[in-house]
Amino acid sequence: MTRPPRRLATGADRLAFDWELTCPPGAALQLRSDLLREEAPSHLHFARVRYPDGAARERVLSAAAPVWSLDAATGPAPIGESLRDFIVLGVEHILTGYDHLVFLLALVLLGGRLGDVVRIITGFTLAHSLTLALAVFGIARPPAGAIEALIGLSIALVAAENLWLAAARPPAVRYAIAAALLLAAAAAAAGVGGVPAVTLLGLALFAGCYFALLARVARPAPLRAAVAFVFGLVHGFGFAGVLLEAELPGERLARALFGFNLGVELGQVACVLLLWPLLQRAWRVADGRWQRPIVEYASAAILAVGVFWFVERAYG
């Protein structure tokens, strides 16, 4: 080892190290990383190797592919030169991003018409594609910790909406949600938590207006596309963290963005195409008698998970 690992200057939510190795000429090399596998199975590692001629090669290491085989002289093609690499990375990210999958489950749990599900997923897709691009191109980059906390909060709010709809829309629920968000905003204004107070105030206003509007309509599904869009903006910033950590050169960024977003969409569509027919069949078998209890118990479990993620990420 020419130089031992050295920690680079980074923010509070990430670690980066670099080190130097002198390799024997002509040798076949392997780089393997199993760090944080037990604590965070969906964690991704970005490895970059620089060669004497100045060329750099990058690779994403995951639980499914923890080993990088490379040639000591030239190495493999850089990540991003192959569109397939980023499509695969996007698919893998959505399939191992359990918070995103739980959010999708909460959105489609009530079932409904296929057209309603398509509108909901389209709203989510458009929103997270927008913020993913804004973040990757450096136009808007909110703090990663706050985004992760808000993803948990988005799950909790959609699950609470499911419970509210299943329980014939009692007024007290929407007031309790708005009050809880206002309380969290007051705590943030006092310096408690990792989510800005103005963001929580905005969510409290949105939740109050949304539930008031939802109480006036007979079919809530069309309005849920708006919720999917709003929270899709948050999830898009969460997706962007994967590409931002790679620090790709500008000439490869557009291809990486397109491939990664396409992979995310393919994985997302696959999940919905699998989940929605199963839910529809379950409701037919239940014959209406068990649909409400199933929705309520599942939504309560999702609500608990979302609140846990929010508290852990915002105040942990």
Side-chain angles (χ1 to χ4, degrees):
M1 180 175 290
T2 307
R3 179 170 51 78
R6 175 188 61 180
R7 181 173 177 177
L8 304 178
T10 55
D13 58 347
R14 60 188 290 260
L15 292 173
F17 293 86
D18 73 344
W19 61 92
E20 293 181 4
L21 298 171
T22 301
C23 304
L29 304 175
Q30 281 192 339
L31 183 63
R32 181 183 183 92
S33 178
D34 293 308
L35 293 173
L36 304 178
R37 288 287 172 251
E38 294 183 1
E39 292 79 6
S42 63
H43 185 71
L44 300 176
H45 295 285
F46 291 89
R48 172 172 291 152
V49 176
R50 296 189 184 277
Y51 292 88
D53 62 359
R57 301 291 184 263
E58 302 97 1
R59 184 67 70 201
V60 179
L61 304 178
S62 64
V67 178
W68 180 17
S69 298
L70 61 159
D71 184 271
T74 60
I79 188 169
E81 289 192 357
S82 170
L83 183 64
R84 177 182 174 276
D85 288 341
F86 273 98
I87 293 176
V88 171
L89 178 60
V91 172
E92 181 177 305
H93 184 66
I94 190 67
L95 295 182
T96 58
Y98 304 118
D99 45 6
H100 303 300
L101 293 179
V102 171
F103 180 74
L104 286 174
L105 173 60
L107 283 174
V108 303
L109 186 60
L110 291 178
R113 303 171 185 172
L114 180 59
D116 295 333
V117 175
V118 170
R119 278 192 291 270
I120 289 171
I121 298 305
T122 300
F124 183 66
T125 296
L126 291 175
H128 75 63
S129 297
L130 173 62
T131 48
L132 174 60
L134 291 176
V136 170
F137 288 108
I139 300 173
R141 292 185 178 176
I147 290 298
E148 292 300 319
L150 288 173
I151 288 174
L153 184 58
S154 72
I155 294 168
L157 288 175
V158 173
E161 180 192 5
N162 289 346
L163 289 170
W164 182 71
L165 291 171
R169 313 179 189 189
V173 172
R174 68 175 191 259
Y175 297 137
I177 292 173
L181 289 171
L182 289 173
L183 183 61
V192 179
V195 181
V198 66
T199 302
L200 293 169
L201 280 173
L203 277 175
L205 178 61
F206 170 79
C209 294
Y210 174 73
F211 277 95
L213 181 61
L214 200 60
R216 297 173 178 269
V217 299
R219 291 187 64 247
L223 281 178
R224 302 195 85 201
V227 169
F229 182 87
V230 170
F231 290 134
L233 297 172
V234 178
H235 284 249
F237 285 121
F239 292 145
V242 176
L243 293 183
L244 294 177
E245 293 291 336
E247 299 179 350
L248 292 171
E251 65 272 13
R252 285 192 256 152
L253 203 51
R255 183 182 298 182
L257 177 63
F258 175 77
F260 180 78
N261 200 43
L262 178 59
V264 167
E265 298 315 316
L266 290 174
Q268 176 179 288
V269 169
C271 291
V272 173
L273 289 178
L274 175 65
L275 181 62
W276 186 77
L278 291 177
L279 288 173
Q280 293 299 105
R281 179 172 177 79
W283 303 152
R284 286 196 297 270
V285 171
D287 195 26
R289 292 172 297 174
W290 297 101
Q291 181 173 359
R292 177 175 169 178
I294 291 173
V295 169
E296 289 180 340
Y297 284 118
S299 296
I302 294 172
L303 175 62
V305 170
V307 170
F308 171 77
W309 277 333
F310 172 69
V311 173
E312 179 190 43
R313 296 168 179 179
Y315 306 104

